[in-house]
Amino acid sequence: MTTPMQTCPECEDEVRISQAARLNEIVECAGCRNELEVVALNPTVLALAPEVEEDWGE
Amino acid sequence: MIRVAVVGAAGYIGGELLRLLIGHPEVEVAAAVSSRFPGKRVDGVHPNLRSATDLLFCSADEVDECDTVFLATPHRAAMTQIHRWIGQAKQVIDLTGDFRLDDTEVYQRYYGTAHAAPHLLGDFVPGIPELHRESLRSADLISVPGCMAVAGVLALYPLVARDLVEPMAQFDARTGSSGSGATAGEANLHATRSGAMRVFAPTGHRHEAEISRHLGIPARMTATGVEAVRGVQTICHVTLRPGADRSAVRGAFREQYRDEPFVRLVAHQRGAFRYPEPKILLGSNFCDVGYAVDEAAGRMVTIAALDNLMKGGAGNAVQCLNIRMGWPEALGLSFPGLHPV
Ligand SMILES: [Zn+2]
């Protein structure tokens, strides 16, 4: 069983996970808008999915 | 229904007040006072109001008794007319700089003139719902703060109130040209402003005095005019107190603004609009607030954005009116802004 509410590992906001969530599914955190990957089930573990950084005139 | 008058109705803030109040379900606009255009049609000066109103501008002497008067005159005009309007209306909501400070000496230092009604300075409730909501419920004199002051105060208040930062704030503020008002001047020429990043107040901007008053700490501000008609963005640099970390900062903002109808937390790590951006707020009453923490350096940055004529002026004034009248706080203020624009 997955629990419906998880905590975002990045911003600690609550993230709603579908009861039917599968391994490697991607969910979006409403607080920080990061994409989070379901890396384990029972219990559910979320991990930050990496993204390309912005670089303007650095 | 209440009857309201807008004084200084031909200016940019006056035009926004008219737009909001004409569309407000509980308000009848009884008078639009202009010393420049008495007898002229309102929609001749504010063309966006065509078909919304057939109102004509009138002189101050033509105003009948009304419930609420909004003062959107140039600075210094409000304090010389204030007794007339207090005698004629139950509430006065002032959007000029005249009653924003509560200290005559500080007023004189920042505005360069003696105050004409110093005995009234302490009687105005600051029009910042997020800090003074309870006082606003019964306030008959309300002073709406400056646009960059609102942004600066909302961006830093949660941290100062919880003692998370050292008591000194450095603001870098950027503003569109409508903040300079609807009258001509060399600095307002298109040839002067277009493409410029014009540092018009590197020190001593008046809104810095307001921020200091509301936060209770020294604040310094630079103000720059940028390539935009509307919009304000403030970036504030502060030093974290020992022990204050990212989690405490995040918790402070969340707790402070959880139930606020017009303050949104924007500190995203993905997407094109990660931090508060004035462009998407044009015409809306939102103030977006964000932050970034550099834990290793013991410092952080807060960012706030708003439409200077809305949450930085007319919209904030209508929000204060809604609170005073006991109406839903967002009545007449539900426009979410435009994208793309
Ligand atoms: Zn998050």
PDB file of all heavy atoms in Angstrom, chain B residues 8-12 14-15 18 34 36-38 40-50 55 57 182:
ATOM      1  N   GLY B   8      -8.687  62.999  -7.627  1.00  0.00           N
ATOM      2  CA  GLY B   8      -7.472  62.729  -8.402  1.00  0.00           C
ATOM      3  C   GLY B   8      -7.752  61.602  -9.380  1.00  0.00           C
ATOM      4  O   GLY B   8      -6.906  60.748  -9.646  1.00  0.00           O
ATOM      5  N   ALA B   9      -8.978  61.629  -9.943  1.00  0.00           N
ATOM      6  CA  ALA B   9      -9.473  60.484 -10.720  1.00  0.00           C
ATOM      7  C   ALA B   9      -8.883  60.415 -12.126  1.00  0.00           C
ATOM      8  O   ALA B   9      -9.077  59.422 -12.820  1.00  0.00           O
ATOM      9  CB  ALA B   9     -11.000  60.540 -10.801  1.00  0.00           C
ATOM     10  N   ALA B  10      -8.181  61.450 -12.553  1.00  0.00           N
ATOM     11  CA  ALA B  10      -7.627  61.427 -13.913  1.00  0.00           C
ATOM     12  C   ALA B  10      -6.228  60.820 -13.968  1.00  0.00           C
ATOM     13  O   ALA B  10      -5.697  60.597 -15.055  1.00  0.00           O
ATOM     14  CB  ALA B  10      -7.587  62.846 -14.492  1.00  0.00           C
ATOM     15  N   GLY B  11      -5.639  60.554 -12.826  1.00  0.00           N
ATOM     16  CA  GLY B  11      -4.301  59.962 -12.804  1.00  0.00           C
ATOM     17  C   GLY B  11      -4.349  58.460 -13.052  1.00  0.00           C
ATOM     18  O   GLY B  11      -5.426  57.876 -13.227  1.00  0.00           O
ATOM     19  N   TYR B  12      -3.190  57.828 -13.048  1.00  0.00           N
ATOM     20  CA  TYR B  12      -3.144  56.384 -13.293  1.00  0.00           C
ATOM     21  C   TYR B  12      -3.782  55.598 -12.147  1.00  0.00           C
ATOM     22  O   TYR B  12      -4.520  54.643 -12.363  1.00  0.00           O
ATOM     23  CB  TYR B  12      -1.696  55.925 -13.504  1.00  0.00           C
ATOM     24  CG  TYR B  12      -1.079  56.414 -14.790  1.00  0.00           C
ATOM     25  CD1 TYR B  12       0.277  56.687 -14.868  1.00  0.00           C
ATOM     26  CD2 TYR B  12      -1.857  56.602 -15.935  1.00  0.00           C
ATOM     27  CE1 TYR B  12       0.859  57.123 -16.045  1.00  0.00           C
ATOM     28  CE2 TYR B  12      -1.283  57.042 -17.118  1.00  0.00           C
ATOM     29  CZ  TYR B  12       0.077  57.307 -17.168  1.00  0.00           C
ATOM     30  OH  TYR B  12       0.648  57.747 -18.331  1.00  0.00           O
ATOM     31  N   GLY B  14      -5.949  56.831 -10.025  1.00  0.00           N
ATOM     32  CA  GLY B  14      -7.361  57.192 -10.074  1.00  0.00           C
ATOM     33  C   GLY B  14      -8.109  56.369 -11.113  1.00  0.00           C
ATOM     34  O   GLY B  14      -9.232  55.907 -10.875  1.00  0.00           O
ATOM     35  N   GLY B  15      -7.504  56.163 -12.272  1.00  0.00           N
ATOM     36  CA  GLY B  15      -8.128  55.371 -13.327  1.00  0.00           C
ATOM     37  C   GLY B  15      -8.326  53.924 -12.906  1.00  0.00           C
ATOM     38  O   GLY B  15      -9.353  53.305 -13.207  1.00  0.00           O
ATOM     39  N   LEU B  18     -11.190  53.765 -10.479  1.00  0.00           N
ATOM     40  CA  LEU B  18     -12.476  53.816 -11.180  1.00  0.00           C
ATOM     41  C   LEU B  18     -12.792  52.468 -11.826  1.00  0.00           C
ATOM     42  O   LEU B  18     -13.910  51.976 -11.746  1.00  0.00           O
ATOM     43  CB  LEU B  18     -12.452  54.927 -12.238  1.00  0.00           C
ATOM     44  CG  LEU B  18     -12.455  56.357 -11.684  1.00  0.00           C
ATOM     45  CD1 LEU B  18     -12.272  57.355 -12.820  1.00  0.00           C
ATOM     46  CD2 LEU B  18     -13.750  56.651 -10.928  1.00  0.00           C
ATOM     47  N   SER B  34     -11.559  65.733 -10.704  1.00  0.00           N
ATOM     48  CA  SER B  34     -10.306  66.080 -11.367  1.00  0.00           C
ATOM     49  C   SER B  34     -10.214  67.592 -11.468  1.00  0.00           C
ATOM     50  O   SER B  34     -11.144  68.243 -11.969  1.00  0.00           O
ATOM     51  CB  SER B  34     -10.246  65.457 -12.771  1.00  0.00           C
ATOM     52  OG  SER B  34      -9.182  66.047 -13.505  1.00  0.00           O
ATOM     53  N   ARG B  36      -8.049  69.000 -13.360  1.00  0.00           N
ATOM     54  CA  ARG B  36      -7.627  69.301 -14.736  1.00  0.00           C
ATOM     55  C   ARG B  36      -8.759  69.163 -15.749  1.00  0.00           C
ATOM     56  O   ARG B  36      -8.768  69.820 -16.772  1.00  0.00           O
ATOM     57  CB  ARG B  36      -6.475  68.369 -15.143  1.00  0.00           C
ATOM     58  CG  ARG B  36      -5.145  68.710 -14.496  1.00  0.00           C
ATOM     59  CD  ARG B  36      -4.052  67.764 -14.981  1.00  0.00           C
ATOM     60  NE  ARG B  36      -4.264  66.388 -14.530  1.00  0.00           N
ATOM     61  CZ  ARG B  36      -3.746  65.307 -15.120  1.00  0.00           C
ATOM     62  NH1 ARG B  36      -3.000  65.451 -16.191  1.00  0.00           N
ATOM     63  NH2 ARG B  36      -3.983  64.111 -14.637  1.00  0.00           N
ATOM     64  N   PHE B  37      -9.696  68.231 -15.500  1.00  0.00           N
ATOM     65  CA  PHE B  37     -10.686  67.893 -16.535  1.00  0.00           C
ATOM     66  C   PHE B  37     -12.143  68.007 -16.082  1.00  0.00           C
ATOM     67  O   PHE B  37     -12.965  67.194 -16.503  1.00  0.00           O
ATOM     68  CB  PHE B  37     -10.439  66.456 -17.034  1.00  0.00           C
ATOM     69  CG  PHE B  37      -9.058  66.223 -17.579  1.00  0.00           C
ATOM     70  CD1 PHE B  37      -8.127  65.489 -16.845  1.00  0.00           C
ATOM     71  CD2 PHE B  37      -8.688  66.732 -18.818  1.00  0.00           C
ATOM     72  CE1 PHE B  37      -6.848  65.256 -17.348  1.00  0.00           C
ATOM     73  CE2 PHE B  37      -7.417  66.508 -19.325  1.00  0.00           C
ATOM     74  CZ  PHE B  37      -6.485  65.774 -18.593  1.00  0.00           C
ATOM     75  N   PRO B  38     -12.528  68.978 -15.262  1.00  0.00           N
ATOM     76  CA  PRO B  38     -13.936  69.019 -14.835  1.00  0.00           C
ATOM     77  C   PRO B  38     -14.856  69.175 -16.044  1.00  0.00           C
ATOM     78  O   PRO B  38     -14.561  69.959 -16.953  1.00  0.00           O
ATOM     79  CB  PRO B  38     -13.993  70.255 -13.922  1.00  0.00           C
ATOM     80  CG  PRO B  38     -12.816  71.089 -14.297  1.00  0.00           C
ATOM     81  CD  PRO B  38     -11.767  70.128 -14.741  1.00  0.00           C
ATOM     82  N   LYS B  40     -15.366  66.994 -18.350  1.00  0.00           N
ATOM     83  CA  LYS B  40     -14.971  66.092 -19.438  1.00  0.00           C
ATOM     84  C   LYS B  40     -15.371  64.655 -19.101  1.00  0.00           C
ATOM     85  O   LYS B  40     -15.452  64.266 -17.933  1.00  0.00           O
ATOM     86  CB  LYS B  40     -13.450  66.133 -19.650  1.00  0.00           C
ATOM     87  CG  LYS B  40     -12.921  67.511 -19.990  1.00  0.00           C
ATOM     88  CD  LYS B  40     -13.168  67.849 -21.437  1.00  0.00           C
ATOM     89  CE  LYS B  40     -12.373  69.095 -21.834  1.00  0.00           C
ATOM     90  NZ  LYS B  40     -12.798  69.589 -23.156  1.00  0.00           N
ATOM     91  N   ARG B  41     -15.541  63.869 -20.146  1.00  0.00           N
ATOM     92  CA  ARG B  41     -15.899  62.457 -19.941  1.00  0.00           C
ATOM     93  C   ARG B  41     -14.722  61.676 -19.341  1.00  0.00           C
ATOM     94  O   ARG B  41     -13.580  61.828 -19.765  1.00  0.00           O
ATOM     95  CB  ARG B  41     -16.286  61.805 -21.268  1.00  0.00           C
ATOM     96  CG  ARG B  41     -17.634  62.241 -21.829  1.00  0.00           C
ATOM     97  CD  ARG B  41     -17.914  61.475 -23.123  1.00  0.00           C
ATOM     98  NE  ARG B  41     -17.995  60.035 -22.904  1.00  0.00           N
ATOM     99  CZ  ARG B  41     -19.131  59.363 -22.666  1.00  0.00           C
ATOM    100  NH1 ARG B  41     -20.275  60.009 -22.632  1.00  0.00           N
ATOM    101  NH2 ARG B  41     -19.128  58.061 -22.478  1.00  0.00           N
ATOM    102  N   VAL B  42     -15.043  60.808 -18.378  1.00  0.00           N
ATOM    103  CA  VAL B  42     -14.021  59.958 -17.758  1.00  0.00           C
ATOM    104  C   VAL B  42     -13.371  59.031 -18.789  1.00  0.00           C
ATOM    105  O   VAL B  42     -12.148  58.825 -18.789  1.00  0.00           O
ATOM    106  CB  VAL B  42     -14.655  59.143 -16.601  1.00  0.00           C
ATOM    107  CG1 VAL B  42     -13.801  57.942 -16.245  1.00  0.00           C
ATOM    108  CG2 VAL B  42     -14.857  60.039 -15.375  1.00  0.00           C
ATOM    109  N   ASP B  43     -14.193  58.505 -19.723  1.00  0.00           N
ATOM    110  CA  ASP B  43     -13.614  57.546 -20.670  1.00  0.00           C
ATOM    111  C   ASP B  43     -12.792  58.229 -21.762  1.00  0.00           C
ATOM    112  O   ASP B  43     -12.183  57.555 -22.596  1.00  0.00           O
ATOM    113  CB  ASP B  43     -14.675  56.609 -21.255  1.00  0.00           C
ATOM    114  CG  ASP B  43     -15.717  57.335 -22.099  1.00  0.00           C
ATOM    115  OD1 ASP B  43     -15.571  58.562 -22.325  1.00  0.00           O
ATOM    116  OD2 ASP B  43     -16.683  56.674 -22.523  1.00  0.00           O
ATOM    117  N   GLY B  44     -12.773  59.572 -21.753  1.00  0.00           N
ATOM    118  CA  GLY B  44     -11.847  60.266 -22.650  1.00  0.00           C
ATOM    119  C   GLY B  44     -10.423  60.197 -22.131  1.00  0.00           C
ATOM    120  O   GLY B  44      -9.462  60.120 -22.902  1.00  0.00           O
ATOM    121  N   VAL B  45     -10.270  60.189 -20.823  1.00  0.00           N
ATOM    122  CA  VAL B  45      -8.943  60.095 -20.194  1.00  0.00           C
ATOM    123  C   VAL B  45      -8.557  58.632 -19.956  1.00  0.00           C
ATOM    124  O   VAL B  45      -7.385  58.257 -20.091  1.00  0.00           O
ATOM    125  CB  VAL B  45      -8.938  60.887 -18.865  1.00  0.00           C
ATOM    126  CG1 VAL B  45      -7.639  60.654 -18.095  1.00  0.00           C
ATOM    127  CG2 VAL B  45      -9.126  62.377 -19.136  1.00  0.00           C
ATOM    128  N   HIS B  46      -9.554  57.819 -19.602  1.00  0.00           N
ATOM    129  CA  HIS B  46      -9.310  56.387 -19.345  1.00  0.00           C
ATOM    130  C   HIS B  46     -10.075  55.579 -20.398  1.00  0.00           C
ATOM    131  O   HIS B  46     -11.188  55.099 -20.153  1.00  0.00           O
ATOM    132  CB  HIS B  46      -9.781  56.008 -17.937  1.00  0.00           C
ATOM    133  CG  HIS B  46      -9.152  56.818 -16.851  1.00  0.00           C
ATOM    134  ND1 HIS B  46      -7.782  56.859 -16.639  1.00  0.00           N
ATOM    135  CD2 HIS B  46      -9.688  57.629 -15.905  1.00  0.00           C
ATOM    136  CE1 HIS B  46      -7.516  57.653 -15.606  1.00  0.00           C
ATOM    137  NE2 HIS B  46      -8.645  58.144 -15.146  1.00  0.00           N
ATOM    138  N   PRO B  47      -9.494  55.408 -21.593  1.00  0.00           N
ATOM    139  CA  PRO B  47     -10.244  54.820 -22.710  1.00  0.00           C
ATOM    140  C   PRO B  47     -10.652  53.370 -22.478  1.00  0.00           C
ATOM    141  O   PRO B  47     -11.563  52.870 -23.144  1.00  0.00           O
ATOM    142  CB  PRO B  47      -9.261  54.942 -23.885  1.00  0.00           C
ATOM    143  CG  PRO B  47      -7.913  55.084 -23.258  1.00  0.00           C
ATOM    144  CD  PRO B  47      -8.131  55.800 -21.967  1.00  0.00           C
ATOM    145  N   ASN B  48     -10.001  52.687 -21.524  1.00  0.00           N
ATOM    146  CA  ASN B  48     -10.399  51.310 -21.213  1.00  0.00           C
ATOM    147  C   ASN B  48     -11.773  51.269 -20.547  1.00  0.00           C
ATOM    148  O   ASN B  48     -12.374  50.199 -20.430  1.00  0.00           O
ATOM    149  CB  ASN B  48      -9.356  50.649 -20.297  1.00  0.00           C
ATOM    150  CG  ASN B  48      -9.103  51.428 -19.020  1.00  0.00           C
ATOM    151  OD1 ASN B  48      -9.168  52.661 -19.014  1.00  0.00           O
ATOM    152  ND2 ASN B  48      -8.823  50.735 -17.935  1.00  0.00           N
ATOM    153  N   LEU B  49     -12.291  52.418 -20.118  1.00  0.00           N
ATOM    154  CA  LEU B  49     -13.588  52.447 -19.437  1.00  0.00           C
ATOM    155  C   LEU B  49     -14.742  52.804 -20.380  1.00  0.00           C
ATOM    156  O   LEU B  49     -15.863  53.042 -19.931  1.00  0.00           O
ATOM    157  CB  LEU B  49     -13.541  53.431 -18.254  1.00  0.00           C
ATOM    158  CG  LEU B  49     -12.502  53.081 -17.186  1.00  0.00           C
ATOM    159  CD1 LEU B  49     -12.551  54.067 -16.036  1.00  0.00           C
ATOM    160  CD2 LEU B  49     -12.713  51.653 -16.665  1.00  0.00           C
ATOM    161  N   ARG B  50     -14.469  52.842 -21.700  1.00  0.00           N
ATOM    162  CA  ARG B  50     -15.549  53.082 -22.661  1.00  0.00           C
ATOM    163  C   ARG B  50     -16.632  52.019 -22.492  1.00  0.00           C
ATOM    164  O   ARG B  50     -16.312  50.830 -22.392  1.00  0.00           O
ATOM    165  CB  ARG B  50     -15.004  53.008 -24.093  1.00  0.00           C
ATOM    166  CG  ARG B  50     -14.165  54.211 -24.468  1.00  0.00           C
ATOM    167  CD  ARG B  50     -13.498  53.994 -25.814  1.00  0.00           C
ATOM    168  NE  ARG B  50     -12.516  55.042 -26.069  1.00  0.00           N
ATOM    169  CZ  ARG B  50     -11.455  54.896 -26.849  1.00  0.00           C
ATOM    170  NH1 ARG B  50     -11.226  53.754 -27.461  1.00  0.00           N
ATOM    171  NH2 ARG B  50     -10.612  55.895 -27.017  1.00  0.00           N
ATOM    172  N   LEU B  55     -19.796  58.567 -16.805  1.00  0.00           N
ATOM    173  CA  LEU B  55     -19.454  59.561 -15.782  1.00  0.00           C
ATOM    174  C   LEU B  55     -18.608  60.701 -16.369  1.00  0.00           C
ATOM    175  O   LEU B  55     -17.782  60.484 -17.254  1.00  0.00           O
ATOM    176  CB  LEU B  55     -18.652  58.842 -14.694  1.00  0.00           C
ATOM    177  CG  LEU B  55     -18.603  59.394 -13.269  1.00  0.00           C
ATOM    178  CD1 LEU B  55     -20.004  59.430 -12.652  1.00  0.00           C
ATOM    179  CD2 LEU B  55     -17.678  58.520 -12.416  1.00  0.00           C
ATOM    180  N   PHE B  57     -15.961  63.893 -15.179  1.00  0.00           N
ATOM    181  CA  PHE B  57     -15.168  64.430 -14.072  1.00  0.00           C
ATOM    182  C   PHE B  57     -15.870  65.661 -13.513  1.00  0.00           C
ATOM    183  O   PHE B  57     -16.556  66.391 -14.242  1.00  0.00           O
ATOM    184  CB  PHE B  57     -13.766  64.834 -14.558  1.00  0.00           C
ATOM    185  CG  PHE B  57     -12.884  63.680 -14.927  1.00  0.00           C
ATOM    186  CD1 PHE B  57     -12.469  63.493 -16.253  1.00  0.00           C
ATOM    187  CD2 PHE B  57     -12.437  62.784 -13.967  1.00  0.00           C
ATOM    188  CE1 PHE B  57     -11.642  62.447 -16.599  1.00  0.00           C
ATOM    189  CE2 PHE B  57     -11.607  61.731 -14.300  1.00  0.00           C
ATOM    190  CZ  PHE B  57     -11.206  61.558 -15.625  1.00  0.00           C
ATOM    191  N   ALA B 182       0.961  60.395 -14.216  1.00  0.00           N
ATOM    192  CA  ALA B 182       0.411  60.643 -15.551  1.00  0.00           C
ATOM    193  C   ALA B 182       0.741  62.024 -16.081  1.00  0.00           C
ATOM    194  O   ALA B 182       0.140  62.491 -17.036  1.00  0.00           O
ATOM    195  CB  ALA B 182      -1.103  60.452 -15.520  1.00  0.00           C
TER     196      ALA B 182
END
